[in-house]
C-alpha cells in the first residue's frame, strides 16, 4: 500500500512556481529521501502533504485516503520533525515531549510510557529537567525529534533534521531514523546533504525548481547518468604517453594531464581502476599515489541539471 | 484540552518578559505613585495646628477666650510638662495647644521645636483680656504655602474672637438693657452658618485616585501580552511551534479554546494581584465595591486577551508584536490620565468633545468604571461601561477567531 500518493501537485507563490506538476509515491516501510538544493521545493511539498499550505492543483492521499486539513484520524498517524526546532523554551524536556504527545494521545498513563520511551530513544535521559536553552544544538535536535515521534506514528517526516548539528549527533540521528524504520515506521527524509541521503534512504527523489528530476534507489540513480568513477594518478613526471595510454582505454570517458596528475573520468563499467593501473604498468609509466572516487548523487544532479547540488 | 490549558498556563507564567511588563511593571508604577501621592496627600491634610498658649493670670481671667481655646482644641490641650510634649486633642480639633506658664517658657519651647512638632508661634493674653499672637521669627522668612495657610487660620480665629469680643463689649457699654432680653442673648450666641457643607459624590474626591485607577486599567490592557504570546505559539503561520501544533489530531477549536482560556485566567489572576496590591497594600479606596471591581477586571482582561489574540494572529515578527502591544497600552493610557495632569486634561477633553473615542478606549473605560464605583451611588454608569467592555470582547473575539480559524495558508 502507498503511504503517500501525490499526483500533479502545483503550488504557486504569485509568479513563482514552487511545485510544478509534482508527483510522489512512497510505499510502506521505505526511508524515502527528498534530495535537492535549498529552495527546490522539498519543504513546500511536505507542507502541502500535511495540509498546512494551500495548493493550486493536485491530489494528495495518505494511507490510501484523501488528505484534508480536518482529517485528524490521518494526522494521528503522522509524526513531523520540522526543519526549525519547534519546542517551548519555557518547558523542560519531559514537559515538551509530553505536550506534543498529548496532541495525539489523551490518556495520561499511556502518554507517560510513550514519553519515557521517546526520551530513551533519543538519549536524553540525563536531561529530563533541562529547558531547551540549556541544551546543546545536537541535544536540541534530539528533543525536536523526540517531540515528533513520541506518539509512535506510522509515517514520520524529517525535514532537514541535521542542519547545524555536529558529526556525532548527526550519526546518532541517522541511526535513530534507521531504527525507527526498522520498528515499522515509513520515513520521509528531506535534506540537501547527499551523503546522508545515500547513507540511509532506500529510495531517493532528486528535486529542483519544484520538479522531481529523478527517482530511484541510489544505484538506479547513478546508473541513469553516463559518468562513473573518477581516478587520479600522480605520475613521477608529466608524461604525454601516459595520457595517450589512458585515453585509449575503452572505459575512459575523458582524461587530462594537470601537472604531474592524470585525471580520468570513467564511463559506466567495473574494474576501471585495475584496468587503468594495468595499462600504465604495461606502458612502463612510473606513478605514485592513486585516488579513486566512486560516482556521487552530486554527479547525478550535475548531469541532470548542469549545476552542483549545494549551489 | 486540560493538557493544552495547563501547558499554555505554564508557558505564559514562565515567560519572564511578559511577566515583567504585565505584572511587575504595573506594581512598580503603582508603588511609585504611592510614594509620590502619599506625601502629597499628607501635605494637603490639615492636622491640628500646634500652638503654645501662655496660661498665666491674664489667660485665666479671660474665661471666654479659654473656653474658645478649649473648644478649638477639642478639650485636649496639654501642659508642656506632659510626657506627650503637647499636641493632644481629638481628631476634629483645629488647634493642638500646649500650655506654658510664662512667656519665657513659650519662647524656649518654640526655639526647641523641630520639624516633627513645629510650633507656629505662641498666644499670650494681655492685661485687657485680648489675645496676642507672636509668630516664630524663623517662619517670617521663607514661609511655604501650607505654613502660610496655617498661619492665616490661627490669625483668622484670633481676629474673629477679638471682633466678637469688642462688639459685645461695645453693646454692653452703650445698651446694657439688651442683655436682659434672653432672645437677644440667644441671637448673640447663635453660631449662624450661612453655608451648607455637603458632598455630591458618594466618597470624597481625591486627585490621586485617578492615577491608581489609570495604572490598574493600564495593567488590565497590558495583559494582552498573554493573549498575544499564546496565539503566537499557536498559529501555524506565526511560528514553527504553531505549525507543529497545527498538525495535532484534534480540531482547532479543541486546541484554541483552552489556549485562550489559560491566557485569560492568567491575565485575570495577575490583574487581581495588582488590584489587591493597590487596594490593600496602599489602602486605595474603590468605594467599598470590591466585588464589582473584580467584575471590571474580568471583563477588561477578557478584552485584552482577545485584543492580544488578534495581535498574535497577525503575521509579523514576534519582537515587533511585543513593541506594538506596549505601544497600544501606553497610548491608550495617555487618554486615561496615567501620565499626569496634561494627559488627564487631554483625556477629559476628548471624552467631552469626541465621546465615541473615549468609549472605544478600553483603558479609559476601565478607569472610568473604577471612578463610577467610587463616586456614584448608582450602578448605572458602571453597568454601561461593562456593556461597552462586553461589546469590545465580542468584537475582538470575532475578529481574532476569524483570523485563527484558517487552517491552511498560502505561505508559511
Amino acid at each position: 500500500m502507498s503511504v503517500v500518493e501525490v499526483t500533479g501537485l502545483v503550488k504557486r507563490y504569485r509568479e513563482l512556481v514552487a511545485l510544478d506538476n509534482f508527483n510522489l509515491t512512497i510505499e510502506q516501510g521505505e526511508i524515502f529521501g527528498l534530495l535537492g538544493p535549498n529552495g527546490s521545493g522539498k519543504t513546500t511539498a511536505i507542507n502541502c502533504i500535511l495540509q498546512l499550505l494551500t495548493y493550486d492543483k493536485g491530489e494528495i492521499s495518505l494511507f490510501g485516503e484523501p488528505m484534508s486539513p480536518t482529517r485528524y484520524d490521518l494526522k494521528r498517524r503522522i509524526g513531523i520533525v520540522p526543519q526549525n526546532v519547534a519546542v517551548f523554551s519555557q518547558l523542560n524536556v519531559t514537559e515538551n515531549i509530553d505536550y506534543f504527545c498529548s496532541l495525539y494521545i489523551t490518556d495520561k498513563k499511556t502518554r507517560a510510557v510513550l514519553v519515557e520511551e521517546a526520551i530513551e530513544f533519543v538519549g536524553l535521559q540525563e536531561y529530563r529537567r533541562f529547558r531547551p536553552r540549556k541544551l546543546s544544538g545536537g541535544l536540541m535536535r534530539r528533543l525536536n525529534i523526540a517531540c515528533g515521534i513520541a506518539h509512535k506514528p506510522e509515517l514520520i517526516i524529517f525535514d532537514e533534521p541535521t542542519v547545524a548539528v555536529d558529526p556525532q549527533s548527526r550519526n546518532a540521528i541517522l541511526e535513530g531514523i534507521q531504527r525507527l524504520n526498522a520498528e515499522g515506521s515509513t520515513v520521509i527524509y528531506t535534506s540537501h546533504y547527499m551523503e546522508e541521503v545515500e547513507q540511509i534512504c532506500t529510495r531517493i527523489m532528486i528535486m529542483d525548481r519544484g520538479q522531481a528530476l529523478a527517482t530511484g534507489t541510489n544505484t538506479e540513480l547513478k546508473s541513469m547518468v553516463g559518468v562513473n568513477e573518477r581516478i587520479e594518478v600522480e605520475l613521477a613526471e608529466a608524461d604525454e604517453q601516459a595520457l595517450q595510454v589512458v585515453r585509449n582505454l575503452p572505459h575512459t570517458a575523458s582524461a587530462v594531464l594537470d601537472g604531474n596528475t592524470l585525471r580520468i573520468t570513467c564511463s559506466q563499467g567495473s574494474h576501471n581502476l585495475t584496468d587503468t593501473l594495468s595499462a600504465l604498468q604495461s606502458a612502463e609509466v612510473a606513478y605514485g599515489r592513486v585516488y579513486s572516487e566512486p560516482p556521487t548523487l552530486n554527479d547525478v544532479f550535475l548531469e541532470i541539471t548542469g549545476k552542483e547540488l549545494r549551489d | 484540552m486540560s493538557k493544552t490549558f495547563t501547558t499554555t498556563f505554564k508557558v505564559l507564567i514562565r515567560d519572564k518578559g511578559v511577566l515583567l511588563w504585565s505584572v511587575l511593571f504595573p506594581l512598580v508604577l503603582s508603588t511609585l505613585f504611592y510614594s509620590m501621592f502619599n506625601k502629597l496627600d499628607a501635605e494637603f491634610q490639615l492636622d491640628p495646628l500646634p500652638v503654645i498658649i501662655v496660661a498665666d493670670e491674664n489667660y485665666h481671667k479671660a474665661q471666654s477666650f479659654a473656653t474658645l481655646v478649649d473648644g478649638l482644641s477639642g478639650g485636649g490641650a496639654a501642659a508642656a510638662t506632659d510626657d506627650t510634649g503637647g499636641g493632644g486633642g481629638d481628631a476634629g480639633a483645629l488647634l493642638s495647644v500646649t500650655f506654658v506658664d510664662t512667656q519665657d517658657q513659650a519662647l524656649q519651647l518654640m526655639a526647641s521645636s523641630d520639624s516633627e512638632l513645629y510650633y507656629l508661634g505662641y498666644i499670650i493674653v494681655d492685661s485687657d483680656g485680648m489675645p496676642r499672637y507672636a509668630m516664630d521669627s524663623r517662619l517670617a522668612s521663607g514661609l511655604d504655602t501650607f505654613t502660610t495657610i496655617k498661619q492665616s487660620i490661627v490669625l483668622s480665629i484670633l481676629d474673629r474672637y477679638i471682633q466678637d469680643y469688642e462688639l459685645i463689649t461695645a453693646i454692653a457699654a452703650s445698651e446694657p438693657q439688651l442683655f436682659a432680653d434672653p432672645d437677644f442673648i440667644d441671637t448673640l450666641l447663635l453660631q449662624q452658618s450661612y453655608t451648607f457643607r455637603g458632598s455630591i459624590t458618594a466618597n470624597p474626591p481625591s486627585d490621586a485616585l485617578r492615577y491608581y485607577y489609570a495604572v490598574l486599567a493600564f495593567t488590565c490592557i497590558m495583559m494582552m501580552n498573554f493573549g498575544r504570546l499564546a496565539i503566537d505559539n499557536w498559529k501555524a503561520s506565526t511560528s514553527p511551534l504553531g505549525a507543529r501544533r497545527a498538525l495535532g489530531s484534534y480540531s482547532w477549536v479543541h486546541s484554541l479554546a483552552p489556549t485562550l482560556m489559560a491566557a485569560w485566567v492568567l491575565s485575570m489572576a495577575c490583574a487581581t494581584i495588582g488590584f489587591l496590591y493597590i487596594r490593600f497594600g496602599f489602602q486605595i479606596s474603590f468605594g467599598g465595591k470590591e466585588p464589582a471591581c473584580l467584575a471590571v477586571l474580568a471583563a477588561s482582561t477578557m478584552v485584552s486577551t482577545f485584543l492580544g489574540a488578534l495581535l498574535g494572529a497577525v503575521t509579523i515578527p514576534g519582537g515587533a508584536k511585543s513593541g506594538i502591544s506596549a505601544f497600544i497600552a501606553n497610548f491608550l493610557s495617555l487618554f486615561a490620565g496615567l501620565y499626569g495632569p496634561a494627559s488627564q486634561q487631554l483625556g477629559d477633553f476628548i471624552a467631552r468633545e469626541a465621546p465615541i473615542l473615549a468609549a472605544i478606549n478600553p483603558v479609559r473605560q476601565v478607569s472610568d468604571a473604577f471612578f463610577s464605583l467610587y463616586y456614584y451611588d448608582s450602578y448605572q454608569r458602571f453597568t454601561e461601561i461593562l456593556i461597552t467592555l462586553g461589546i469590545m470582547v465580542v468584537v475582538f473575539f470575532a475578529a481574532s477567531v476569524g483570523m485563527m480559524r484558517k487552517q491552511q495558508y498560502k505561505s508559511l
Side-chain angles (χ1 to χ4, degrees):
Chain A
M1 181 189 74
S2 294
V3 174
V4 180
E5 182 89 51
V6 178
T7 315
L9 191 62
V10 176
K11 169 68 185 172
R12 291 192 186 91
Y13 294 111
R14 297 189 181 178
E15 308 304 315
L16 178 76
V17 181
L19 291 173
D20 187 4
N21 203 30
F22 180 75
N23 297 300
L24 173 68
T25 303
I26 299 172
E27 302 298 329
Q28 193 168 9
E30 284 189 309
I31 301 182
F32 190 89
L34 270 179
L35 182 65
N38 289 329
S40 59
K42 303 185 297 290
T43 302
T44 300
I46 296 298
N47 284 335
C48 286
I49 290 169
L50 294 171
Q51 303 294 309
L52 284 173
L53 282 176
T54 55
Y55 42 91
D56 301 285
K57 221 168 106 181
E59 286 173 13
I60 297 169
S61 299
L62 296 182
F63 306 103
E65 298 196 40
M67 182 62 174
S68 75
T70 53
R71 286 301 301 266
Y72 302 111
D73 55 332
L74 297 181
K75 285 184 176 180
R76 163 69 187 83
R77 300 165 74 180
I78 305 170
I80 173 82
V81 178
Q83 188 173 346
N84 298 312
V85 175
V87 295
F88 289 103
S89 58
Q90 300 90 343
L91 301 182
N92 64 33
V93 165
T94 307
E95 288 169 335
N96 262 302
I97 301 171
D98 186 36
Y99 173 71
F100 287 105
C101 191
S102 80
L103 296 177
Y104 309 94
I105 310 285
T106 44
D107 184 63
K108 206 173 174 181
K109 285 181 183 169
T110 310
R111 219 165 55 222
V113 175
L114 292 172
V115 169
E116 200 50 43
E117 285 177 6
I119 288 175
E120 282 178 23
F121 187 86
V122 296
L124 286 175
Q125 296 96 316
E126 292 171 25
Y127 306 96
R128 292 170 206 275
R129 301 284 161 209
F130 280 54
R131 291 206 191 165
R133 67 171 177 274
K134 291 195 173 174
L135 300 176
S136 66
L139 293 176
M140 196 113 85
R141 287 272 165 193
R142 288 197 219 174
L143 171 61
N144 200 32
I145 291 170
C147 291
I149 63 164
H151 62 289
K152 303 253 184 228
E154 295 167 51
L155 170 65
I156 311 174
I157 299 169
F158 290 88
D159 192 3
E160 309 215 21
T162 57
V163 172
V165 163
D166 61 273
Q168 202 177 352
S169 291
R170 176 175 297 183
N171 286 336
I173 290 169
L174 296 179
E175 283 170 21
I177 291 170
Q178 286 175 313
R179 271 162 55 207
L180 285 168
N181 179 246
E183 287 171 13
S185 296
T186 303
V187 174
I188 301 178
Y189 187 87
T190 80
S191 178
H192 60 270
Y193 295 126
M194 56 193 166
E195 306 89 350
E196 292 179 1
V197 174
E198 281 189 88
Q199 185 182 334
I200 65 166
C201 294
T202 53
R203 218 150 57 89
I204 301 161
M205 173 184 279
I206 295 180
M207 286 185 73
D208 192 34
R209 298 173 189 275
Q211 287 182 318
L213 301 179
T215 309
T217 62
N218 193 4
T219 314
E220 285 170 349
L221 287 175
K222 287 172 184 171
S223 66
M224 285 179 189
V225 293
V227 293
N228 202 321
E229 199 171 358
R230 281 200 180 88
I231 299 169
E232 286 184 13
V233 183
E234 282 185 11
L235 303 176
E237 55 184 26
D239 190 342
E240 284 295 328
Q241 187 203 343
L243 179 63
Q244 203 52 51
V245 167
V246 170
R247 279 181 175 165
N248 289 337
L249 290 171
H251 66 257
T252 301
S254 67
V256 290
L257 194 58
D258 182 7
N260 285 357
T261 306
L262 193 58
R263 299 186 196 282
I264 307 152
T265 305
C266 304
S267 57
Q268 296 288 350
S270 54
H271 313 299
N272 297 328
L273 180 61
T274 51
D275 290 350
T276 303
L277 294 179
S278 296
L280 289 173
Q281 281 170 355
S282 301
E284 296 182 342
V285 174
Y287 58 86
R289 290 182 185 176
V290 176
Y291 304 93
S292 169
E293 191 186 2
T296 64
L297 289 173
N298 193 47
D299 295 321
V300 178
F301 192 80
L302 186 65
E303 178 101 351
I304 296 172
T305 66
K307 63 181 181 182
E308 298 277 337
L309 245 174
R310 292 183 192 171
D311 273 357
Chain B
M1 280 178 87
S2 64
K3 184 68 187 170
T4 303
F5 178 88
T6 52
T7 301
T8 307
F9 197 88
K10 270 186 204 170
V11 166
L12 295 177
I13 206 166
R14 289 178 187 174
D15 193 291
K16 287 178 186 157
V18 173
L19 270 188
L20 175 76
W21 285 104
S22 303
V23 183
L24 200 59
F25 179 67
L27 292 186
V28 170
L29 199 60
S30 54
T31 306
L32 281 175
F33 282 153
Y34 181 73
S35 61
M36 283 161 52
F37 298 130
N38 192 38
K39 193 180 167 196
L40 206 62
D41 281 348
E43 289 194 345
F44 274 111
Q45 196 176 346
L46 189 64
D47 294 325
L49 311 176
V51 293
I52 303 165
I53 290 181
V54 180
D56 56 6
E57 199 179 341
N58 290 340
Y59 174 78
H60 292 299
K61 278 183 190 169
Q63 284 183 2
S64 56
F65 181 65
T67 305
L68 173 71
V69 168
D70 197 42
L72 292 175
S73 63
T81 49
D82 284 356
D83 289 342
T84 56
D90 66 19
L94 189 59
L95 298 180
S96 170
V97 178
T98 301
F99 291 110
V100 294
D101 295 330
T102 64
Q103 191 171 3
D104 288 344
Q105 284 177 352
L107 289 166
Q108 209 174 358
L109 188 59
M110 213 159 58
S112 65
S113 70
D114 54 25
S115 57
E116 212 168 293
L117 183 65
Y118 199 96
Y119 293 104
L120 298 168
Y122 68 89
I123 297 170
I124 187 165
V125 180
D126 65 14
S127 55
D128 296 329
M130 288 292 121
R132 303 295 173 203
Y133 175 61
M135 187 176 71
D136 185 345
S137 58
R138 287 174 297 178
L139 293 176
S141 58
L143 282 179
D144 61 51
T145 310
F146 296 109
T147 310
T148 306
I149 293 169
K150 288 173 183 176
Q151 291 279 13
S152 304
I153 292 168
V154 174
L155 290 171
S156 173
I157 291 166
L158 294 179
D159 284 348
R160 176 71 191 269
Y161 171 78
I162 291 167
Q163 281 170 14
D164 288 351
Y165 183 87
E166 287 184 342
L167 177 66
I168 292 168
T169 306
I171 293 169
S174 60
E175 299 194 51
Q177 73 281 1
L178 286 174
F179 287 91
D181 180 2
D183 289 342
F184 176 73
I185 299 290
D186 286 345
T187 307
L188 204 61
L189 295 177
L190 181 67
Q191 295 295 309
Q192 183 69 49
S193 180
Y194 294 99
T195 57
F196 169 74
R197 184 174 176 180
S199 175
I200 57 168
T201 59
N203 291 293
S206 165
D207 283 342
L209 283 181
R210 186 155 192 179
Y211 292 92
Y212 291 109
Y213 293 167
V215 81
L216 198 51
F218 166 79
T219 304
C220 291
I221 301 307
M222 200 63 190
M223 297 299 167
M224 82 173 88
N225 278 318
F226 288 124
R228 174 187 62 75
L229 187 62
I231 296 307
D232 222 15
N233 286 338
W234 180 87
K235 198 163 179 267
S237 62
T238 56
S239 66
L241 199 52
R244 187 171 213 168
R245 293 175 75 181
L247 299 170
S249 63
Y250 300 104
S251 74
W252 66 275
V253 176
H254 273 76
S255 168
L256 181 63
T259 301
L260 288 174
M261 180 65 85
W264 176 67
V265 168
L266 188 57
S267 300
M268 178 66 188
C270 292
T272 305
I273 289 171
F275 169 71
L276 294 176
Y277 186 69
I278 290 173
R279 171 65 190 90
F280 297 105
F282 302 143
Q283 297 295 318
I284 301 303
S285 175
F286 286 80
K289 295 167 184 166
E290 283 76 12
C293 291
L294 292 179
V296 177
L297 297 183
S300 59
T301 49
M302 209 173 274
V303 170
S304 61
T305 299
F306 289 121
L307 180 60
L310 188 61
L311 184 60
V314 180
T315 311
I316 43 175
K321 286 182 191 177
S322 171
I324 291 170
S325 63
F327 171 77
I328 291 172
N330 282 286
F331 180 71
L332 295 179
S333 299
L334 174 68
F335 307 103
L338 182 64
Y339 308 117
S343 94
Q344 289 166 5
Q345 285 166 11
L346 176 66
D348 293 344
F349 173 78
I350 287 174
R352 271 195 315 274
E353 303 300 324
I356 186 70
L357 291 180
I360 61 170
N361 178 348
V363 183
R364 174 86 192 190
Q365 289 300 309
V366 175
S367 175
D368 281 357
F370 292 129
F371 261 100
S372 69
L373 288 174
Y374 181 80
Y375 284 119
Y376 302 154
D377 295 323
S378 150
Y379 279 90
Q380 188 190 337
R381 175 71 184 133
F382 169 75
T383 309
E384 286 169 7
I385 292 171
L386 272 194
I387 291 170
T388 308
L389 291 174
I391 292 169
M392 288 184 197
V393 167
V394 171
V395 170
F396 291 137
F397 173 80
S400 58
V401 170
M403 288 186 74
M404 289 182 284
R405 66 193 298 274
K406 192 176 168 187
Q407 294 297 288
Q408 276 186 303
Y409 305 90
K410 281 190 176 173
S411 63
L412 287 174

